[in-house]
Amino acid sequence: MSDIKELTEKYYPEIVELRRYFHKYPELSKKEFATQKKIIEVLEGLDLEIRKAAGTGVIAELKGEKPGKIIAIRADMDALAIEDECGKPYQSQNKGACHACGHDGHIAMLLGVIKVLSNLRHKIQGTVRFIFQPSEEEVADGSGAAAIIADDGLKDVDAIIGAHLWQPVKFGTVGISAGPMMAASDEFTIVIEGKAGHASMPHQTIDSILTASQIVVALNTIVGRDVDPMKQAVVSVGVFNSGRVYNSIAGRAELKGTIRSLDENVREKVFGHIKKIVEDVCDMAGAKCEIERDRCTYVLSNDPKVTSIVLEAGKEMVGHKAHAIEPFMSSEDFSYYLQKIPGCFIFVGVGNPEKGIIYPQHHPKYDIDERAMAYGVEVMSNAALKLLSS
């Protein structure tokens, strides 16, 4: 344990420097070419097997002195299509791209883990596979996790771990819990076809805006009235597009939204209720409708056995500050990996009001307490060694 802490401290300034570099030069999903290049540059000379994967990703392997299991550690790489307003010297220089979800820190932490474990090769019985995954944010047109899996990223892997720098979790805390921890995510699109006409003659039209509005209101009753109160679900409409002329009644409206759930049965029931509401409201209005659904991620459910080992590793590094936490309704394509092999996804707290770290993920002013990255490096490094020897 002491050697992990000492090595983490040794490399901490470099980890911070790398995180700020990636924050300054963010790249959107499937466009992480410069990020990929920088990662490979940092890894060169470390006696690793390195290859490009999933287009813009990187996979590196560190082989121990003795054969054994293969444990994977994953970090996501992509940024969000948001203008950065953090106001720091490392504010994004790439217009329209911002690391507002902590992926810059994830890359830096995993590079730190590689540096630490490269110094502890004599303790490694087996292989540690490091996965730098692209395209976590944009899963609707192809998950980066799915691409990594298709590129043999999980081949022969016994277990996988990953970490998320998380603003809702207090700085200094590492959340490690078994079972469902993040929600399944569905994207839905609803198109309402009515009948356009003059605003002064509504009786000759089928008002798509009115119909869509009734649907939005009705959808907000699903969680409160159709879902078991002991279960959790979210239905949110984020897009409402219709009309362009003030004195015309629009003949077409489009809604887009998301379903979040921690239970696959609830997930299916919620979509069933959405479909029924849309069809019934349109039927009453005389409108036609189309409903499309894109299953973006699965429920992220941590394996109990792997999680118990990771929690033990966490407590050895940060004591009681590593503990179980409640699940979140956010989603993550790390869940794709957990559909294939056992694993554990942990949450490293970065929320620190004393330092002004108060903005949530996906906010233009999102930032982290960088000291949290040291906790992430320590816990993941120790967890990897424990999982290899378990």
Side-chain angles (χ1 to χ4, degrees), residues 165-243:
L165 296 168
W166 204 240
Q167 181 273 335
V169 176
K170 184 180 179 181
F171 167 75
T173 298
V174 182
I176 306 172
S177 303
M181 281 307 300
M182 299 188 82
S185 173
D186 292 297
E187 178 184 330
F188 60 84
T189 301
I190 301 165
V191 176
I192 297 105
E193 294 287 352
K195 183 180 179 182
H198 200 286
S200 67
M201 293 176 276
H203 60 291
Q204 295 182 353
T205 73
I206 298 173
D207 192 336
S208 65
I209 291 180
L210 177 60
T211 304
S213 298
Q214 291 172 329
I215 288 171
V216 171
V217 172
L219 293 183
N220 279 277
T221 68
I222 292 174
V223 173
R225 287 294 174 265
D226 297 316
V227 174
D228 183 340
M230 302 305 292
K231 305 285 186 179
Q232 290 177 287
V234 174
V235 178
S236 294
V237 176
V239 175
F240 190 140
N241 289 323
S242 185

Side-chain angles (χ1 to χ4, degrees), residues 113-132:
V113 171
I114 294 173
K115 298 268 187 178
V116 169
L117 292 181
S118 291
N119 282 268
L120 300 175
R121 190 185 297 266
H122 60 285
K123 290 188 175 184
I124 296 175
Q125 183 176 335
T127 299
V128 186
R129 182 176 298 169
F130 306 100
I131 299 172
F132 295 88

Side-chain angles (χ1 to χ4, degrees), residues 135-301:
S135 190
E136 187 276 328
E137 297 290 358
E138 293 293 333
V139 297
D141 61 345
S143 157
I148 288 288
I149 293 168
D151 205 357
D152 288 337
L154 295 186
K155 185 177 180 181
D156 299 325
V157 173
D158 293 282
I160 186 168
I161 59 175
H164 207 308
L165 296 168
W166 204 240
Q167 181 273 335
V169 176
K170 184 180 179 181
F171 167 75
T173 298
V174 182
I176 306 172
S177 303
M181 281 307 300
M182 299 188 82
S185 173
D186 292 297
E187 178 184 330
F188 60 84
T189 301
I190 301 165
V191 176
I192 297 105
E193 294 287 352
K195 183 180 179 182
H198 200 286
S200 67
M201 293 176 276
H203 60 291
Q204 295 182 353
T205 73
I206 298 173
D207 192 336
S208 65
I209 291 180
L210 177 60
T211 304
S213 298
Q214 291 172 329
I215 288 171
V216 171
V217 172
L219 293 183
N220 279 277
T221 68
I222 292 174
V223 173
R225 287 294 174 265
D226 297 316
V227 174
D228 183 340
M230 302 305 292
K231 305 285 186 179
Q232 290 177 287
V234 174
V235 178
S236 294
V237 176
V239 175
F240 190 140
N241 289 323
S242 185
R244 287 181 294 178
V245 180
Y246 83 97
N247 61 350
S248 293
I249 289 176
R252 186 179 188 276
E254 182 182 68
L255 305 173
K256 289 188 176 184
T258 185
I259 305 167
R260 304 295 171 99
S261 55
L262 290 168
D263 182 287
E264 289 294 336
N265 291 328
V266 171
R267 180 184 196 179
E268 295 307 315
K269 287 180 180 179
V270 167
F271 183 73
H273 285 299
I274 290 174
K275 190 171 184 292
K276 187 175 188 303
I277 285 171
V278 173
E279 290 174 347
D280 287 353
V281 171
C282 286
D283 186 53
M284 287 190 295
K288 296 179 180 179
C289 63
E290 294 181 6
I291 309 169
E292 293 184 2
R293 175 190 186 188
D294 191 338
R295 294 175 175 83
C296 300
T297 64
Y298 303 96
V299 175
L300 189 156
S301 189

